Amino acid sequence: MVCTIVWSINVSPFLMSTCLCSAIVVGVAQDVTESTKNERSVAAMADELRQFVDKANAPIFGIDSFGRVNEWNDKTAEITGFSSKEALGKPLVSTFIVPNLQSSVTNILDNALQGKETSNYELEFTTKSNEIRYLLVNATTRRDPDSNVVGGK
């Protein structure tokens, strides 16, 4: 709903040089109550989903279209020993995947980035203390609101 409010302020005439002038101020306003409520609701949902991902009892990690880590939840940090701060921005495959699986994991992630998803794939992560952790993962495509591929999880 758009509500227009017009002010009209007449200022007492004053003398400027030799002409008589008055000032009029006009303003336009819009009622943005509903859109503000909607924006706050969307922000609250986004915060709730962020907390859901961060606190999930399963490892959730994601990559951007260049293979760099852009999602690393608390459970992934617990399993690998790498904090999200340490992992974010790093190339997932060369940094965290055991060498003998790097080629196949790259293929699976490349497929996910092309919209071809993989379920129940066994992955071997190298932890911060150089131990191996075995994870059963799904490689899913991440899309923006216009359905463009923006990464994978």
Side-chain angles (χ1 to χ4, degrees):
M1 168 184 181
V2 175
C3 175
T4 303
I5 301 170
V6 178
W7 303 272
S8 181
I9 303 172
N10 288 316
V11 178
S12 302
F14 60 94
L15 191 57
M16 185 172 186
S17 292
T18 58
C19 76
L20 193 60
C21 301
S22 66
I24 297 176
V25 177
V26 177
V28 177
Q30 290 182 329
D31 182 355
V32 294
T33 304
E34 286 303 313
S35 63
T36 300
K37 283 181 187 178
N38 290 338
E39 287 173 12
R40 287 181 182 163
S41 177
V42 168
M45 267 191 275
D47 288 343
E48 188 175 338
L49 289 172
R50 165 65 28 219
Q51 185 176 20
F52 177 75
V53 168
D54 285 344
K55 302 302 178 192
N57 197 24
I60 299 173
F61 53 91
I63 59 167
D64 62 17
S65 57
F66 299 103
R68 295 180 304 238
V69 175
N70 62 5
E71 185 71 56
W72 195 266
N73 77 343
D74 293 350
K75 186 54 99 172
T76 306
E78 178 186 325
I79 290 170
T80 65
F82 292 99
S83 69
S84 62
K85 186 176 181 181
E86 293 171 302
L88 293 175
K90 300 277 192 310
L92 176 74
V93 174
S94 63
T95 307
F96 303 105
I97 306 302
V98 296
N100 63 321
L101 290 181
Q102 289 182 357
S103 177
S104 63
V105 171
T106 297
N107 289 334
I108 286 171
L109 294 176
D110 286 346
N111 284 338
L113 292 172
Q114 296 172 20
K116 301 173 200 158
E117 301 180 350
T118 302
S119 296
N120 299 321
Y121 181 77
E122 191 172 292
L123 197 59
E124 295 178 29
F125 258 83
T126 304
T127 67
K128 193 172 187 175
S129 60
N130 286 320
E131 297 176 66
I132 304 297
R133 293 285 185 257
Y134 299 90
L135 303 177
L136 192 60
V137 300
N138 297 323
T140 59
T141 306
R142 212 177 204 181
R143 299 181 184 274
D144 67 13
D146 295 322
S147 296
N148 298 311
V149 174
V150 295
K153 296 199 244 199

